[in-house]
Amino acid sequence: MEEFSAKVQANILYISIATTGKDHRKDKITSVAICDLNYSPIIIDMIQSKPEDIITLKHLLEDDTEKVFYDAKKALHFFHAVDFEINGPIYDVILMDKILRAGSRDKNVAVDRIITEYLGTTITVDSASIPIVKEALILLKLYEAIFCRLADDNLLDTVALEFECIRAVAEMERNGIRVNVEKLINMLQQFTKQQDTFAEMLHKQFGDINLNSYKKVKEAIIKQGIMVDDLRQETLHPHIFPNLFLWDYNIYKNISYKRSLANAILTRVNASTGR
């Protein structure tokens, strides 16, 4: 990759895609908008596409021009599904935003939030009546604004390294991980039984409260005469003897976590691939 600090230049393509949904395995690209600093935006209808339009799109994607997306991994997934290869350096404004906000508890990566934060609430672009074209034009302005923030914070090397990994991460996500579904279901059933057992014991001690409510459990423990500031294991440990129900609570939390993890993995297994 060339020196990243020289990337804000005219030979960058700003690409926005519209899709029927978020799952590249079953959803489709409906349209693609592309713009740069020198030419008017173009839009390609992927539903009723003309052969010459597809040839143009493939040429633009496969040359070595730098390309900017809102979400590059999503674009890679959807274009891969229709056998389009994206060559050249890839930039991702959502990833750039994440790097700038590293350590922030705000998990909101919505495009509207990013646009408002970096460009302000009033966005004006060339009179683009087609939403996806307007998105591509805003993407151009957004990339430049976030780039300047990264430069000010001396994060250009960091973001360049992250961009180098985008293709590999996208491929890993598409390949997935093989899962022994039957074994996972058995584990989930075991965790559920164990959780129910410890829940019954804890309800005898605490009463009929929501054991997954931090506030309710803390209140119940304090009612037992045990003054604690939080429910961390290291906080509860000094009080376990003779209050063995605190030991039961720690086990309950551990089993709940494992059960939640097993269930989360099961819900993400693709029915057609088993991965």
Side-chain angles (χ1 to χ4, degrees):
M1 178 180 286
E2 299 176 13
E3 187 65 25
F4 184 72
S5 60
K7 291 307 178 187
V8 178
Q9 52 193 14
N11 62 335
I12 299 179
L13 297 180
Y14 301 85
I15 305 173
S16 180
I17 68 172
T19 62
T20 57
K22 297 181 179 180
D23 189 342
H24 63 277
R25 294 182 178 87
K26 64 180 181 180
D27 295 309
K28 306 295 181 183
I29 302 176
T30 58
S31 58
V32 179
I34 302 177
C35 69
D36 68 12
L37 293 176
N38 296 325
Y39 299 97
S40 299
I42 64 171
I43 182 169
I44 297 174
D45 185 339
M46 298 294 287
I47 303 300
Q48 298 178 344
S49 57
K50 300 176 182 178
E52 57 268 28
D53 290 340
I54 297 301
I55 292 173
T56 298
L57 179 59
K58 285 180 68 70
H59 173 74
L60 290 172
L61 293 177
E62 292 176 0
D63 69 18
D64 292 330
T65 306
E66 291 91 339
K67 299 168 182 72
V68 181
F69 299 91
Y70 281 108
D71 185 343
K73 282 195 302 178
K74 174 185 175 182
L76 283 167
H77 290 327
F78 275 94
F79 281 124
H80 180 271
V82 291
D83 295 324
F84 280 23
E85 186 174 357
I86 302 177
N87 293 327
I90 295 176
Y91 311 130
D92 181 334
V93 297
I94 289 180
L95 182 56
M96 294 166 77
D97 170 67
K98 285 183 178 180
I99 293 170
L100 280 172
R101 298 187 303 117
S104 169
R105 292 185 178 184
D106 181 9
K107 304 298 183 181
N108 180 14
V109 295
V111 173
D112 289 346
R113 194 276 304 162
I114 295 175
I115 291 172
T116 300
E117 179 170 341
Y118 296 101
L119 298 181
T121 55
T122 304
I123 308 301
T124 57
V125 297
D126 297 341
S127 55
S129 59
I130 304 173
I132 191 172
V133 173
K134 183 176 181 179
E135 286 182 7
L137 290 167
I138 292 175
L139 180 58
L140 187 157
K141 296 175 179 289
L142 190 59
Y143 171 75
E144 293 180 347
I146 302 180
F147 178 92
C148 291
R149 293 271 195 98
L150 289 165
D152 290 342
D153 290 351
N154 297 317
L155 288 171
L156 296 183
D157 289 341
T158 301
V159 77
L161 179 61
E162 291 284 353
F163 288 159
E164 290 281 9
C165 299
I166 290 177
R167 285 186 175 87
V169 173
E171 185 176 358
M172 290 168 62
E173 289 183 358
R174 288 196 300 271
N175 290 339
I177 301 172
R178 190 177 298 280
V179 176
N180 187 329
V181 175
E182 183 178 355
K183 184 173 182 179
L184 200 57
I185 291 174
N186 289 335
M187 291 173 62
L188 182 60
Q189 292 173 343
Q190 292 175 13
F191 291 145
T192 300
K193 290 180 181 178
Q194 293 171 0
Q195 186 181 31
D196 290 343
T197 298
F198 280 91
E200 184 178 353
M201 293 188 294
L202 289 168
H203 280 138
K204 289 180 180 178
Q205 185 72 34
F206 293 149
D208 189 19
I209 67 169
N210 180 4
L211 296 173
N212 298 316
S213 167
Y214 180 95
K215 179 181 179 181
K216 295 296 183 182
V217 173
K218 183 180 176 182
E219 290 175 351
I221 291 175
I222 291 176
K223 285 182 180 179
Q224 303 286 328
I226 306 168
M227 307 307 295
V228 293
D229 294 327
D230 56 67
L231 301 181
R232 292 181 297 173
Q233 183 172 338
E234 55 267 32
T235 300
L236 299 181
H237 185 76
H239 303 283
I240 286 178
F241 299 101
N243 307 297
L244 294 180
F245 60 86
L246 296 179
W247 180 266
D248 293 338
Y249 175 67
N250 280 331
I251 295 176
Y252 173 85
K253 283 202 303 182
N254 183 260
I255 294 171
S256 295
Y257 170 75
K258 291 178 179 178
R259 180 179 179 275
S260 176
L261 184 59
N263 187 62
I265 294 173
L266 276 172
T267 60
R268 300 197 60 160
V269 174
N270 186 279
S272 60
T273 65
R275 301 175 77 90

